[in-house]
Amino acid sequence: MNQAYEAQQTAYANQQAAWDAYMSVKRANGPRIDSLNAQQERAYQNMKSAFESASLAHNMRDGASARMYADQGHAYKAEAQDCVAERRQLVAEIRAARERFNAVKPAFQAAKSEFACARQAFQSAKAEHERAQAEFKKAKAEFDDCAKAVKDRLDELNSAHRKRRKDKKSIAEKAGVPSQYRDNVWISKDSDGNTNIYFGGIGKPDGPGHGHYVMDQHGTVTYRRDPFDPHGTQNFTDAPGGILYDRRTRTYVPGGTLYDRRARTNTLPLGVSNRDNDTNDRSGVFYDRRRQIDLHVTQYYKDNYRVSWDTDGKSNKNYHWTNQSLPSSHTDSHIPPEDAR
């Protein structure tokens, strides 16, 4: 639009200059033309009067007067013709100036029309810009509202996350989880109210080699296994002596008849196996936390004795001794060894 405006202004300046020149010539020549018109009219009237007087003198046979009046008439005629010639020249100058004005006038009209079109296009573009700007402001306001809502929600989630981390850390601390693991624990609750705490696994708290503590609804830790420690009933805090059934510990075993064998033989178990009561699986897993099933545990001794019991993850029961050196039908095959009495 600026280019069209500049073209219009240039064309207008040219037209105005031509108009000013035309008016200047007209103002300069106009009065002279009027004067020449009056002078011509006087010369014409004088010429007419002189020729009439010459004709009258000629009719009266006054040749001298007729000649004199005739000469005067011709002089007035020449004066009138000079006025006409000069007037024609002045009028021609005015016409030439007007023609020059008329020559530049179409250029201005074209430039004016082009500017009007450009201005209309500009106004349309301006209106579209203002509409788009209004839509942008509206969209920006909506975006700002959404961004604020997202930020508020993130702040809320982060706050909740920090609270959960703090709560989990507090639970881990209460359960006695080593301090180096408390910032990264996985906690779940069983249907019976027990709280499971996993930590120290590879890649994640409950990854391979993880530690596992169980705390009941009263805040008592009933199971404690640190990272990479073996599974087994020795991890139950309410197991005899807190470890596997060891015949050296001389601790009382539930059932009232089984004691350790350290007093006489200082006997340690050679190994431990287990049996899943539901599947008879002998995989060596002492406690299946996923299925929460009872396990059957057996300890073997080098004197060919073994002791078995059932566990539900909370307590041991059904202790059973077997002397594998005797046939299963022998009446003494299930009598505990002397150091277990």
Side-chain angles (χ1 to χ4, degrees):
M1 189 182 75
N2 290 339
Q3 185 177 0
Y5 175 77
E6 291 175 359
Q8 175 189 256
Q9 292 301 101
T10 300
Y12 175 77
N14 293 337
Q15 175 183 272
Q16 191 63 34
W19 174 259
D20 291 342
Y22 164 65
M23 294 304 296
S24 177
V25 172
K26 188 175 181 180
R27 284 192 297 269
N29 293 359
R32 178 59 180 164
I33 290 173
D34 292 339
S35 176
L36 289 173
N37 286 335
Q39 184 179 352
Q40 178 193 2
E41 182 63 23
R42 287 194 302 271
Y44 172 76
Q45 293 299 330
N46 289 335
M47 177 192 71
K48 181 179 178 182
S49 177
F51 281 135
E52 288 177 351
S53 295
S55 178
L56 182 60
H58 177 73
N59 291 334
M60 294 178 65
R61 310 290 185 190
D62 186 356
S65 295
R67 171 59 59 188
M68 180 188 67
Y69 287 125
D71 290 341
Q72 289 179 354
H74 286 295
Y76 287 129
K77 181 180 180 181
E79 181 183 354
Q81 289 176 343
D82 290 341
C83 289
V84 170
E86 184 179 355
R87 185 183 63 192
R88 285 177 178 173
Q89 181 180 354
L90 295 176
V91 170
E93 291 177 357
I94 292 175
R95 287 176 178 173
R98 184 172 183 83
E99 288 175 357
R100 287 191 294 272
F101 167 72
N102 290 334
V104 298
K105 187 176 181 180
F108 169 71
Q109 294 299 329
K112 182 179 179 181
S113 177
E114 183 177 352
F115 172 72
C117 292
R119 181 179 177 82
Q120 183 178 2
F122 170 77
Q123 294 296 341
S124 298
K126 182 181 179 182
E128 177 63 21
H129 170 72
E130 291 174 349
R131 184 192 64 79
Q133 188 177 45
E135 290 183 356
F136 170 77
K137 289 181 178 179
K138 179 181 178 182
K140 185 177 184 300
E142 293 176 353
F143 171 79
D144 290 342
D145 290 341
C146 291
K148 183 179 183 302
V150 170
K151 182 179 181 301
D152 292 344
R153 180 56 178 163
L154 284 176
D155 291 343
E156 181 182 345
L157 292 175
N158 289 334
S159 177
H161 178 67
R162 287 191 295 270
K163 184 178 184 303
R164 286 195 300 271
R165 285 180 61 89
K166 183 178 180 181
D167 291 344
K168 289 195 295 184
K169 186 175 181 179
S170 176
I171 293 172
E173 183 178 2
K174 182 178 180 181
V177 172
S179 59
Q180 66 268 32
Y181 300 114
R182 293 174 187 170
D183 289 327
N184 189 22
V185 297
W186 175 261
I187 295 178
S188 65
K189 279 198 173 184
D190 296 337
S191 58
D192 57 3
N194 287 338
T195 300
N196 294 279
I197 308 168
Y198 305 97
F199 58 93
I202 297 175
K204 55 183 179 178
D206 59 344
H210 64 268
H212 180 196
Y213 285 11
V214 179
M215 187 167 58
D216 65 18
Q217 56 187 332
H218 304 295
T220 301
V221 176
T222 60
Y223 183 86
R224 181 181 286 111
R225 189 185 75 250
D226 289 323
F228 301 100
D229 282 354
H231 292 73
T233 55
Q234 75 275 12
N235 298 315
F236 291 102
T237 58
D238 57 353
I243 58 173
L244 288 176
Y245 184 80
D246 186 347
R247 290 156 69 185
R248 298 178 303 166
T249 58
R250 299 186 63 82
T251 56
Y252 177 77
V253 178
T257 59
L258 304 181
Y259 296 86
D260 68 45
R261 302 174 65 188
R262 187 182 65 170
R264 298 184 180 181
T265 61
N266 199 31
T267 304
L268 284 172
L270 294 177
V272 180
S273 68
N274 70 287
R275 172 173 57 82
D276 184 325
N277 287 339
D278 292 336
T279 64
N280 290 327
D281 177 24
R282 297 180 180 273
S283 63
V285 178
F286 289 97
Y287 176 68
D288 189 334
R289 64 177 175 82
R290 181 176 63 83
R291 291 180 292 168
Q292 298 182 359
I293 58 175
D294 294 339
L295 298 177
H296 183 81
V297 181
T298 302
Q299 288 181 194
Y300 298 90
Y301 295 88
K302 63 182 180 179
D303 58 0
N304 222 18
Y305 274 93
R306 69 181 184 185
V307 60
S308 304
W309 66 87
D310 293 327
T311 175
D312 59 5
K314 298 180 181 179
S315 62
N316 300 330
K317 57 186 177 180
N318 300 329
Y319 285 89
H320 180 71
W321 282 95
T322 301
N323 184 350
Q324 294 180 292
S325 298
L326 299 175
S328 59
S329 59
H330 197 283
T331 56
D332 295 334
S333 62
H334 296 295
I335 297 176
E338 293 181 358
D339 57 356
R341 295 180 180 178

